[in-house]
Amino acid sequence: MEDGEYNSSLPYDDDEYLDDLGPVLVLDDHPAPEARVTRILVVVIYSIVCFLGILGNGLVIVIATFKMKRTVNSVWFLNLAVADFLFNVFLPLHITYAALDYHWVFGTAMCKVSSFLLIHNMYTSVFLLTAISLDRCVSVLLPVWSQNHRSVRLAYTGCVVIWVLAFFLSSPSLVFRDTASLHGKTSCFNNFSLSAPGSSGRIGSSQHVLVTVTRFLCGFLVPVLIITACYLTIVCRLRRNRLAKTKKPFKIIVTIIVTFFCCWCPYHTLYLLELHHTVLPGPVFSLGLPLATALAIANSCMNPLLYVFMGQDFKKFKVTLFSRLVNALSEDTGHSSFPSHRSFTRMSSVNDKSSVNERETSML
């Protein structure tokens, strides 16, 4: 990072700076055709994600809050949906930003908040997935202890810790996010040097590295190692003792986790490479970063879709969407007396016999 830098990364061709949500500090009045296509694609992706994210996560929140008995499993999924929902509510700001050719019209405060919610969503999601993995691992390894100590109150306590930790790790966005006017456009970007255009100093370089490496370690590498270790342990124990009668609940949570890391891996990879941007051509970043960010953002709408498409009753079209979500949110794994979910396959609506629901839910 050179003296006088004014953004999270260097201008690769002296006319453009990059950022978390695309090329935001554009100094060239005539962007390349590829950039225009990328911007249009970003608007389309963001719009689809916003619609599906608000609808799907909103439905999950309603179901988990009002239509299901409160269990440890439903607490995890409820908090995951809330984190995704909050981010999707603010996504129209970024859609407008990209649609206006990266002209930010919402002020500096909203610039900070919107970026904060993106990173907070990342941390909250990955920490919740890690907590779910640890919870299931403990349930498999220590079933007796788990039955005696695994409680809704403990799950809520864990969620509070996760939200607070995610807040502090996301707080750099509230500090370094800034706006600036250039060529008649206002840009929302990362001003790691906390300085005005043209000022000098290298302090922004160390802050840039610190924030990027922290995001990679705490928001990606460490959680993926913990989650991988947990599920390798679970797989070995289940195969050895044949504890589970069905693989469907296991497949759902594994698919959610794999989807999360597939969505966020390109984002973290490109931002690590951007610290040494000379190793790759500039267009790799100017075109790749907006698309990688769009893929990361898409994860915020995918979990409800996975609940539906991987639910126990998806192939039975007589079962309502509402029932499929209930089934997926109710599925669990990890106990030696793992319950059969055949009763769920007989559900044609959420209003089926309450005794069936009660028996299945109590086993979670």
PDB file of all heavy atoms in Angstrom, residues 183-197:
ATOM      1  N   HIS A 183     -15.827  13.350  -8.982  1.00  0.00           N
ATOM      2  CA  HIS A 183     -16.441  13.407 -10.309  1.00  0.00           C
ATOM      3  C   HIS A 183     -17.962  13.347 -10.230  1.00  0.00           C
ATOM      4  O   HIS A 183     -18.622  12.684 -11.033  1.00  0.00           O
ATOM      5  CB  HIS A 183     -15.928  12.276 -11.195  1.00  0.00           C
ATOM      6  CG  HIS A 183     -14.457  12.333 -11.461  1.00  0.00           C
ATOM      7  ND1 HIS A 183     -13.842  13.402 -12.084  1.00  0.00           N
ATOM      8  CD2 HIS A 183     -13.470  11.449 -11.162  1.00  0.00           C
ATOM      9  CE1 HIS A 183     -12.545  13.176 -12.178  1.00  0.00           C
ATOM     10  NE2 HIS A 183     -12.292  12.006 -11.617  1.00  0.00           N
ATOM     11  N   GLY A 184     -18.530  14.021  -9.248  1.00  0.00           N
ATOM     12  CA  GLY A 184     -19.972  14.097  -9.132  1.00  0.00           C
ATOM     13  C   GLY A 184     -20.640  12.886  -8.516  1.00  0.00           C
ATOM     14  O   GLY A 184     -21.868  12.821  -8.452  1.00  0.00           O
ATOM     15  N   LYS A 185     -19.839  11.906  -8.067  1.00  0.00           N
ATOM     16  CA  LYS A 185     -20.389  10.712  -7.441  1.00  0.00           C
ATOM     17  C   LYS A 185     -19.879  10.589  -6.012  1.00  0.00           C
ATOM     18  O   LYS A 185     -18.732  10.933  -5.727  1.00  0.00           O
ATOM     19  CB  LYS A 185     -20.009   9.452  -8.223  1.00  0.00           C
ATOM     20  CG  LYS A 185     -20.650   9.354  -9.596  1.00  0.00           C
ATOM     21  CD  LYS A 185     -20.249   8.057 -10.265  1.00  0.00           C
ATOM     22  CE  LYS A 185     -20.875   7.955 -11.653  1.00  0.00           C
ATOM     23  NZ  LYS A 185     -20.471   6.689 -12.325  1.00  0.00           N
ATOM     24  N   THR A 186     -20.742  10.093  -5.135  1.00  0.00           N
ATOM     25  CA  THR A 186     -20.345   9.833  -3.747  1.00  0.00           C
ATOM     26  C   THR A 186     -20.114   8.342  -3.581  1.00  0.00           C
ATOM     27  O   THR A 186     -20.995   7.531  -3.887  1.00  0.00           O
ATOM     28  CB  THR A 186     -21.437  10.296  -2.765  1.00  0.00           C
ATOM     29  OG1 THR A 186     -21.648  11.701  -2.934  1.00  0.00           O
ATOM     30  CG2 THR A 186     -21.028  10.019  -1.332  1.00  0.00           C
ATOM     31  N   SER A 187     -18.926   7.986  -3.114  1.00  0.00           N
ATOM     32  CA  SER A 187     -18.566   6.590  -2.957  1.00  0.00           C
ATOM     33  C   SER A 187     -18.585   6.178  -1.494  1.00  0.00           C
ATOM     34  O   SER A 187     -18.265   6.961  -0.605  1.00  0.00           O
ATOM     35  CB  SER A 187     -17.163   6.334  -3.541  1.00  0.00           C
ATOM     36  OG  SER A 187     -17.161   6.557  -4.930  1.00  0.00           O
ATOM     37  N   CYS A 188     -18.974   4.943  -1.251  1.00  0.00           N
ATOM     38  CA  CYS A 188     -18.951   4.337   0.086  1.00  0.00           C
ATOM     39  C   CYS A 188     -17.844   3.293   0.065  1.00  0.00           C
ATOM     40  O   CYS A 188     -17.913   2.320  -0.690  1.00  0.00           O
ATOM     41  CB  CYS A 188     -20.303   3.703   0.396  1.00  0.00           C
ATOM     42  SG  CYS A 188     -20.370   2.776   1.937  1.00  0.00           S
ATOM     43  N   PHE A 189     -16.826   3.482   0.887  1.00  0.00           N
ATOM     44  CA  PHE A 189     -15.627   2.655   0.766  1.00  0.00           C
ATOM     45  C   PHE A 189     -14.937   2.503   2.121  1.00  0.00           C
ATOM     46  O   PHE A 189     -15.354   3.091   3.119  1.00  0.00           O
ATOM     47  CB  PHE A 189     -14.657   3.277  -0.238  1.00  0.00           C
ATOM     48  CG  PHE A 189     -14.113   4.599   0.231  1.00  0.00           C
ATOM     49  CD1 PHE A 189     -12.830   4.693   0.744  1.00  0.00           C
ATOM     50  CD2 PHE A 189     -14.892   5.746   0.177  1.00  0.00           C
ATOM     51  CE1 PHE A 189     -12.334   5.914   1.196  1.00  0.00           C
ATOM     52  CE2 PHE A 189     -14.414   6.960   0.620  1.00  0.00           C
ATOM     53  CZ  PHE A 189     -13.130   7.052   1.128  1.00  0.00           C
ATOM     54  N   ASN A 190     -13.887   1.694   2.154  1.00  0.00           N
ATOM     55  CA  ASN A 190     -13.089   1.491   3.360  1.00  0.00           C
ATOM     56  C   ASN A 190     -11.920   2.460   3.375  1.00  0.00           C
ATOM     57  O   ASN A 190     -10.996   2.348   2.572  1.00  0.00           O
ATOM     58  CB  ASN A 190     -12.560   0.057   3.431  1.00  0.00           C
ATOM     59  CG  ASN A 190     -13.631  -0.935   3.799  1.00  0.00           C
ATOM     60  OD1 ASN A 190     -14.529  -0.622   4.577  1.00  0.00           O
ATOM     61  ND2 ASN A 190     -13.556  -2.129   3.245  1.00  0.00           N
ATOM     62  N   ASN A 191     -11.936   3.398   4.286  1.00  0.00           N
ATOM     63  CA  ASN A 191     -10.867   4.386   4.427  1.00  0.00           C
ATOM     64  C   ASN A 191     -10.001   3.988   5.621  1.00  0.00           C
ATOM     65  O   ASN A 191     -10.112   4.535   6.712  1.00  0.00           O
ATOM     66  CB  ASN A 191     -11.477   5.779   4.640  1.00  0.00           C
ATOM     67  CG  ASN A 191     -10.412   6.855   4.727  1.00  0.00           C
ATOM     68  OD1 ASN A 191      -9.232   6.608   4.492  1.00  0.00           O
ATOM     69  ND2 ASN A 191     -10.841   8.062   5.068  1.00  0.00           N
ATOM     70  N   PHE A 192      -9.140   2.991   5.420  1.00  0.00           N
ATOM     71  CA  PHE A 192      -8.359   2.449   6.530  1.00  0.00           C
ATOM     72  C   PHE A 192      -7.373   3.455   7.109  1.00  0.00           C
ATOM     73  O   PHE A 192      -6.983   3.348   8.269  1.00  0.00           O
ATOM     74  CB  PHE A 192      -7.605   1.193   6.082  1.00  0.00           C
ATOM     75  CG  PHE A 192      -8.489  -0.007   5.929  1.00  0.00           C
ATOM     76  CD1 PHE A 192      -8.770  -0.520   4.677  1.00  0.00           C
ATOM     77  CD2 PHE A 192      -9.062  -0.609   7.035  1.00  0.00           C
ATOM     78  CE1 PHE A 192      -9.600  -1.620   4.533  1.00  0.00           C
ATOM     79  CE2 PHE A 192      -9.877  -1.703   6.906  1.00  0.00           C
ATOM     80  CZ  PHE A 192     -10.155  -2.222   5.647  1.00  0.00           C
ATOM     81  N   SER A 193      -6.963   4.436   6.329  1.00  0.00           N
ATOM     82  CA  SER A 193      -6.027   5.437   6.840  1.00  0.00           C
ATOM     83  C   SER A 193      -6.743   6.558   7.577  1.00  0.00           C
ATOM     84  O   SER A 193      -6.105   7.404   8.200  1.00  0.00           O
ATOM     85  CB  SER A 193      -5.197   6.017   5.691  1.00  0.00           C
ATOM     86  OG  SER A 193      -6.047   6.681   4.770  1.00  0.00           O
ATOM     87  N   LEU A 194      -8.103   6.577   7.511  1.00  0.00           N
ATOM     88  CA  LEU A 194      -8.902   7.624   8.155  1.00  0.00           C
ATOM     89  C   LEU A 194      -8.419   9.007   7.758  1.00  0.00           C
ATOM     90  O   LEU A 194      -8.338   9.931   8.573  1.00  0.00           O
ATOM     91  CB  LEU A 194      -8.845   7.484   9.684  1.00  0.00           C
ATOM     92  CG  LEU A 194      -9.433   6.187  10.243  1.00  0.00           C
ATOM     93  CD1 LEU A 194      -9.234   6.123  11.748  1.00  0.00           C
ATOM     94  CD2 LEU A 194     -10.911   6.066   9.886  1.00  0.00           C
ATOM     95  N   SER A 195      -8.085   9.156   6.487  1.00  0.00           N
ATOM     96  CA  SER A 195      -7.542  10.417   6.003  1.00  0.00           C
ATOM     97  C   SER A 195      -8.296  10.870   4.767  1.00  0.00           C
ATOM     98  O   SER A 195      -9.066  10.130   4.168  1.00  0.00           O
ATOM     99  CB  SER A 195      -6.055  10.258   5.660  1.00  0.00           C
ATOM    100  OG  SER A 195      -5.891   9.250   4.680  1.00  0.00           O
ATOM    101  N   ALA A 196      -8.064  12.097   4.390  1.00  0.00           N
ATOM    102  CA  ALA A 196      -8.697  12.662   3.200  1.00  0.00           C
ATOM    103  C   ALA A 196      -7.883  12.321   1.967  1.00  0.00           C
ATOM    104  O   ALA A 196      -6.715  11.930   2.055  1.00  0.00           O
ATOM    105  CB  ALA A 196      -8.809  14.178   3.351  1.00  0.00           C
ATOM    106  N   PRO A 197      -8.482  12.389   0.785  1.00  0.00           N
ATOM    107  CA  PRO A 197      -7.736  12.106  -0.442  1.00  0.00           C
ATOM    108  C   PRO A 197      -6.482  12.944  -0.536  1.00  0.00           C
ATOM    109  O   PRO A 197      -6.474  14.132  -0.235  1.00  0.00           O
ATOM    110  CB  PRO A 197      -8.728  12.452  -1.555  1.00  0.00           C
ATOM    111  CG  PRO A 197     -10.065  12.378  -0.908  1.00  0.00           C
ATOM    112  CD  PRO A 197      -9.861  12.808   0.501  1.00  0.00           C
TER     113      PRO A 197
END
